[in-house]
């Protein structure tokens, strides 16, 4: 969840690290901080040895931290540069200029989001600096042990024990590398750390244990970077290596040496990655979320492109490592995911069972990891994750592999931990949605739906489970899906310009769509509760629509199977509770009309998502949000779009922080 950014090189480190932290804001956080070893201060005055150390008595690294958004930290640093003094580590005259620094954005787990709990943390002497992502599960025992030795703690966090453990081992004669190795071996749980020390002013360490959020090492010309996620490095380097669990990287300006915690060198090759800073920019949109909603036609086109075939198996998935024989031998599929991805899994269950004829279970990863599911070599476990770094999903993948099941990842981020684990088993299907910055998932979700449809087609073809005519119809439906989503958004084509100009006079279609949803939001933004209902394959979309409203507008909302209304939820309905009914023309359409009538009879204000031209539906509800007619099995991609837009415009009308909603993070890399 937390974001780590570190730098060592010839540049002024402070602006480099602050820029990287800014690019990591999408991960969610509630405080931030930075540590710099200053030029010309203490250890910086002497000549460094081959290991980055010097003999002179070191001064403290300068640490500055602030609760709240990164802007508060930046403002405090700017004031300090103008002559004011402040910060947790004491005064420092002038700007913080140095060639090595660590920055951090924290999402609180242990301890409130206050300045003293913000990272980086230091040891008793203020010489060791640590930024940490993860949870030290045995921190209470370690803290008590260290306090018994005389160590004084300044925070409530579990993270601070790392700095004190390193201090303990350096005090016992170890160098920074050996001390950090010994420390990481003592930590239980999934952890990623960046470490610097005043005695080694040109040395940056980065380590990882368990399935904590990833750490990327970026290589430049005479400079190196460490970051929790690739966006922090965009525009600064294209050469990136990823740490695996149990790795420790020793980073100096000239490069990095990576070894295991036992000291054995390992090869983590540096590879070129796409360098597209514009992908992480808003492009003129008010929020990343709105930009990403409007990028969905392009994302779907990228997900589907080159993967559809005219005849069986109808889908070519380059990362799928199952043979036709192995596909036919499958006894069941288990879809594992969290949050929005879990809703995609529910849709995937309908698709896989109907198309491929395979029994499917859907599990929350956070529950799957703590039970003993019945798995064997005839089970295909499919983890679904945008980031590929979700802790519960990663642990579930390991559990599945240990039980002998095949594991196939549906992942967006290339090179992520989930992708690498899946490649060792049944392979990975990349969703190709591109960077998603907004915390509330939009384009990643619809790309997951498309990828699961491709997987269902591929398995159906391999198993001979789908008639040719049905397969051809689904392929045709997928081929036109990007254009249909574009039409819902008011674009002329899936490749239409993805910038804010499309929402102004240059794009009357998107402008009209925006106006429609703004008006709808103005009528309902004061609601304290909302009910979303759907049936069959649209029931998961009701869940997703309710989640979107909760996430970004803080309105309580429930998604329910429409047929279950009379078993409890109907008691909630009155004139103050909007009911959002997902009712395209499909095989349960008539049933949905009856449920809508039930809601209307109790005073509910019904907003329906329905098929274009459905006058009968329009006559029964207050508002209709229309989508083009489509194959009912693919319709969830279309019906999702109006629910995303509704949630977005309600949140804007309520004045909420759309891209970074409170208490949430983009990548949940701790349990």
């Amino acid at each position: 969840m937390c974001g780590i950014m570190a730098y060592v090189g010839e540049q002024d480190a402070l602006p480099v690290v602050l820029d990287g932290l800014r690019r990591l804001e999408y991960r969610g956080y509630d405080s931030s901080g930075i540590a710099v070893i200053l030029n010309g201060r203490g250890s910086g005055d002497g000549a460094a040895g081959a290991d980055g150390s010097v003999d002179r008595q070191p001064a403290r690294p300068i640490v500055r931290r602030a609760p709240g958004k990164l802007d508060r930290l930046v403002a405090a640093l700017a004031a300090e540069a103008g002559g004011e003094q402040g910060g947790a580590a004491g005064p420092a005259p002038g700007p913080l200029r140095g060639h090595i620094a660590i920055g951090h954005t924290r999402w609180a787990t242990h301890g409130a989001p206050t300045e003293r709990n913000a990272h980086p943390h230091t040891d008793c002497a203020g010489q060791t600096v640590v930024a940490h992502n993860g949870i030290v599960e045995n921190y209470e025992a370690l803290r008590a042990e260290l306090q018994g030795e005389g160590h004084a703690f300044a925070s409530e966090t579990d993270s601070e024990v790392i700095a004190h453990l390193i201090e303990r081992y350096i005090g016992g004669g170890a160098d920074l590398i050996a001390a950090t190795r010994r420390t990481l071996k003592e930590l239980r749980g999934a952890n990623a750390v960046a470490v610097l020390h005043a005695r080694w002013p040109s040395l940056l360490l980065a380590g990882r244990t368990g399935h904590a959020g990833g750490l990327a090492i970026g290589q430049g010309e005479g400079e190196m970077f460490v970051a929790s996620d690739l966006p922090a490095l965009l525009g600064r380097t294209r050469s990136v290596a990823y740490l695996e669990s149990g790795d420790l990287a020793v980073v100096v300006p000239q490069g990095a040496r990576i070894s295991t915690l036992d000291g054995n060198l390992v090869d983590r090759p540096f590879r070129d990655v796409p360098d597209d800073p514009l992908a992480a920019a808003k492009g003129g949109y008010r929020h990343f979320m709105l930009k990403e909603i409007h990028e969905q036609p392009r994302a779907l086109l990228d997900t589907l492109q080159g993967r559809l075939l005219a005849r069986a198996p109808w889908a070519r998935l380059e990362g799928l490592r199952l043979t036709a024989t192995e596909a036919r031998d499958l006894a069941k599929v288990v879809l594992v995911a969290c949050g929005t991805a879990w809703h995609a899994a529910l849709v995937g269950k309908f698709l896989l069972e109907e198309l491929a004829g395979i029994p499917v279970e859907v599990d929350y990863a956070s529950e799957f990891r703590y039970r003993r599911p019945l798995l064997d070599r005839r089970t295909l476990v499919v983890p679904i994750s945008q980031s590929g770094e979700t802790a519960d999903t990663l642990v579930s993948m390991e559990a599945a592999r240990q039980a002998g099941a095949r594991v196939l990842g549906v992942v967006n981020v290339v090179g992520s931990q989930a992708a690498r684990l899946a490649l060792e088993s049944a392979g990975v299907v990349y969703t190709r949605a591109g960077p998603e910055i907004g915390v509330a998932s939009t384009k990643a979700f619809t790309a997951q739906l498309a990828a699961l449809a491709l997987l269902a087609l591929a398995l159906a073809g391999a198993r001979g489970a789908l008639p040719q005519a049905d397969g051809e119809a689904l392929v045709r439906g997928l081929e036109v899906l990007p254009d249909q989503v574009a039409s819902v958004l008011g674009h002329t084509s899936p490749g239409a310009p993805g910038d804010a100009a499309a929402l102004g006079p240059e794009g009357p279609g998107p402008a009209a769509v925006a106006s429609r949803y703004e008006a709808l939001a103005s009528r309902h933004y004061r609601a304290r509760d909302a009910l979303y209902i759907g049936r069959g394959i649209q029931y998961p979309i009701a869940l997703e629509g309710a989640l979107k409203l909760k996430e970004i507008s803080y309105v309580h909302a429930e998604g329910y199977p429409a047929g279950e209304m009379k078993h409890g939820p109907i008691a909630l309905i009155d004139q103050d509770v909007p009911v959002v009914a997902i009712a395209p023309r499909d095989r349960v359409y008539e049933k949905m009309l009856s449920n809508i009538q039930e809601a209307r009879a109790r005073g509910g204000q019904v907003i329906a998502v329905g098929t274009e031209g459905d006058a009968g539906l329009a006559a029964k509800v207050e508002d209709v949000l229309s989508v083009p007619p489509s194959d009912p099995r693919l319709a969830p991609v279309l019906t999702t779009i109006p629910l995303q837009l509704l949630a977005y415009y309600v949140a804007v009308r309520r004045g909420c922080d759309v891209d970074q909603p409170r208490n949430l993070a983009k990548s949940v890399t701790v349990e």
Side-chain angles (χ1 to χ4, degrees):
M1 308 263 271
C2 309
I4 294 172
M5 176 66 184
Y7 173 82
V8 59
E10 292 304 314
Q11 293 192 62
D12 186 3
L14 180 65
V16 175
V17 171
L18 288 175
D19 178 66
L21 293 181
R22 185 76 70 187
R23 293 165 183 255
L24 293 174
E25 285 189 293
Y26 70 93
R27 292 167 67 94
Y29 68 103
D30 44 42
S31 61
S32 62
I34 192 165
V36 184
I37 297 180
L38 300 189
N39 295 343
R41 291 286 300 276
S43 61
D45 291 339
D51 64 352
S53 67
V54 295
D55 296 328
R56 300 190 58 176
Q57 180 66 27
R60 293 183 181 183
I62 304 301
V63 179
R64 297 292 180 260
R65 303 178 292 201
K69 295 300 185 184
L70 186 61
D71 288 340
R72 293 186 62 178
L73 176 65
V74 172
L77 291 167
E80 186 172 343
E84 298 185 23
Q85 297 179 350
L96 305 186
R97 295 193 180 278
H99 298 307
I100 185 168
I102 292 176
H104 189 269
T105 51
R106 175 181 186 248
W107 191 86
T109 54
H110 296 69
T114 61
E115 181 176 336
R116 74 188 183 105
N117 288 330
H119 295 219
H121 289 289
T122 61
D123 59 12
C124 296
Q127 295 182 23
T128 308
V129 175
V130 172
H132 169 230
N133 183 10
I135 292 178
V136 181
E137 295 178 356
N138 57 331
Y139 87 98
E140 289 184 342
L142 292 172
R143 183 179 179 120
E145 182 181 315
L146 288 161
Q147 286 175 325
E149 297 172 4
H151 289 262
F153 283 75
S155 78
E156 305 167 277
T157 70
D158 59 324
S159 307
E160 192 182 347
V161 300
I162 301 171
H164 290 282
L165 284 169
I166 293 172
E167 180 184 33
R168 168 208 272 176
Y169 294 125
I170 290 176
D175 64 16
L176 180 62
I177 299 170
T180 303
R181 280 202 181 103
R182 292 183 66 180
T183 294
L184 292 178
K185 286 182 176 182
E186 288 205 42
L187 307 183
R188 289 210 306 266
N191 300 282
V193 300
V195 181
L196 59 81
H197 195 284
R199 281 183 56 193
W200 292 268
S202 299
L203 200 63
L204 174 65
L205 301 188
R208 184 176 178 188
T209 66
H211 296 294
L215 282 177
I217 312 294
Q219 187 172 43
E221 293 291 332
E223 59 184 2
M224 297 292 289
F225 312 84
V226 174
S228 295
D229 212 346
L230 188 59
L233 306 180
L234 293 178
R236 298 195 178 275
T237 179
R238 293 188 59 195
S239 183
V240 175
Y242 293 93
L243 295 190
E244 302 284 350
S245 177
D247 283 355
L248 179 68
V250 179
V251 185
V252 296
Q254 294 74 33
R257 186 176 71 252
I258 303 174
S259 61
T260 67
L261 296 184
D262 292 324
N264 300 314
L265 290 177
V266 292
D267 181 26
R268 304 287 182 243
F270 284 84
R271 293 190 170 91
D272 283 351
V273 297
D275 185 6
D276 184 10
L278 292 178
K282 293 179 184 176
Y285 283 100
R286 183 174 178 181
H287 297 99
F288 280 115
M289 182 180 177
L290 184 60
K291 176 176 182 281
E292 288 153 7
I293 288 172
H294 282 270
E295 287 176 339
Q296 286 176 110
R298 179 77 249 179
L300 285 166
L301 191 63
D302 289 342
T303 300
L304 297 169
Q305 207 159 40
R307 290 172 161 177
L308 292 171
L309 302 172
R311 301 188 62 81
W314 299 294
R316 179 195 297 112
L317 296 174
E318 63 284 353
L320 182 62
R321 294 186 174 181
L322 280 179
T323 66
T325 299
E326 290 170 336
R328 287 192 293 271
D329 189 50
L330 291 175
K332 70 174 178 179
V333 174
V334 180
L335 303 175
V336 179
C338 300
T340 284
W342 186 76
H343 300 154
L346 291 175
V347 175
K349 173 181 171 69
F350 281 91
L351 294 171
L352 285 161
E353 288 187 340
E354 181 167 335
L355 303 184
I358 308 176
V360 178
E361 299 173 7
V362 178
D363 233 321
Y364 283 112
S366 57
E367 294 295 324
F368 181 87
R369 64 180 294 189
Y370 288 116
R371 65 183 185 86
R372 296 180 179 176
L374 301 177
L375 308 173
D376 57 29
R377 65 176 184 81
R378 298 184 65 201
T379 303
L380 179 66
V381 175
V382 182
I384 306 169
S385 173
Q386 188 283 135
S387 68
E389 301 291 349
T390 304
D392 288 325
T393 303
L394 294 173
V395 174
S396 297
M397 293 174 72
E398 283 289 0
R401 292 175 64 190
Q402 290 173 11
R406 294 183 172 93
V407 178
L408 173 69
V410 176
V411 182
N412 188 40
V413 178
V414 177
S416 61
Q417 178 76 350
R420 296 196 297 274
L421 288 173
L423 282 170
E424 297 174 6
S425 184
V428 61
V429 177
Y430 288 115
T431 53
R432 302 176 180 172
E436 186 177 68
I437 307 302
V439 168
S441 182
T442 52
K443 65 176 182 175
F445 175 67
T446 49
Q448 287 166 353
L449 297 184
L452 288 167
L454 290 170
L455 177 60
L457 277 173
L459 293 180
R463 292 166 64 89
L466 192 64
Q468 180 71 24
D470 202 5
E472 291 174 352
L474 280 162
V475 168
R476 289 194 298 271
L478 286 166
E479 286 174 338
V480 301
L481 201 55
D483 287 304
Q484 290 182 314
V485 171
S487 72
V488 176
L489 292 166
H491 295 297
T492 55
S493 72
D499 57 34
L503 296 181
E506 302 298 323
V513 170
S515 178
R516 172 75 192 282
Y517 282 90
E518 286 170 347
L520 188 60
S522 70
R523 294 197 294 274
H524 296 287
Y525 77 96
R526 293 187 182 88
R528 298 181 62 183
D529 302 278
L531 181 64
Y532 286 66
I533 56 174
R535 281 179 176 264
I537 202 170
Q538 296 294 344
Y539 161 54
I541 305 308
L543 293 173
E544 173 62 12
L547 177 62
K548 282 292 158 287
L549 192 69
K550 283 184 281 195
E551 283 181 312
I552 63 172
S553 71
Y554 318 141
V555 174
H556 169 253
E558 287 193 53
Y560 241 87
E564 293 293 300
M565 274 209 311
K566 290 188 287 293
H567 295 274
I570 201 166
L572 297 173
I573 298 175
D574 60 25
Q575 61 186 8
D576 297 320
V577 178
V579 178
V580 181
I582 307 165
R585 285 192 172 274
D586 57 18
R587 60 190 177 196
V588 291
Y589 172 72
E590 298 294 337
K591 299 291 186 183
M592 279 300 302
L593 290 183
S594 297
N595 297 134
I596 288 170
Q597 295 284 39
E598 291 167 351
R600 289 289 305 280
R602 283 141 183 96
Q605 304 292 301
V606 180
I607 303 166
V609 178
T611 306
E612 288 175 356
D614 190 344
L617 178 63
K620 294 177 174 62
V621 300
E622 279 66 40
D623 290 281
V624 175
L625 305 172
S626 296
V627 299
S630 67
D631 187 304
R633 293 163 292 191
L634 305 178
V637 175
L638 297 171
T639 56
T640 295
I641 309 302
L643 304 186
Q644 293 173 348
L645 289 167
L646 177 62
Y648 172 80
Y649 284 104
V650 168
V652 170
R653 188 70 174 80
R654 290 170 64 88
C656 299
D657 188 343
V658 172
D659 285 334
Q660 296 174 37
R662 68 190 183 203
N663 303 332
L664 297 181
K666 184 65 177 175
S667 302
V668 183
T669 57
V670 297
E671 183 179 354

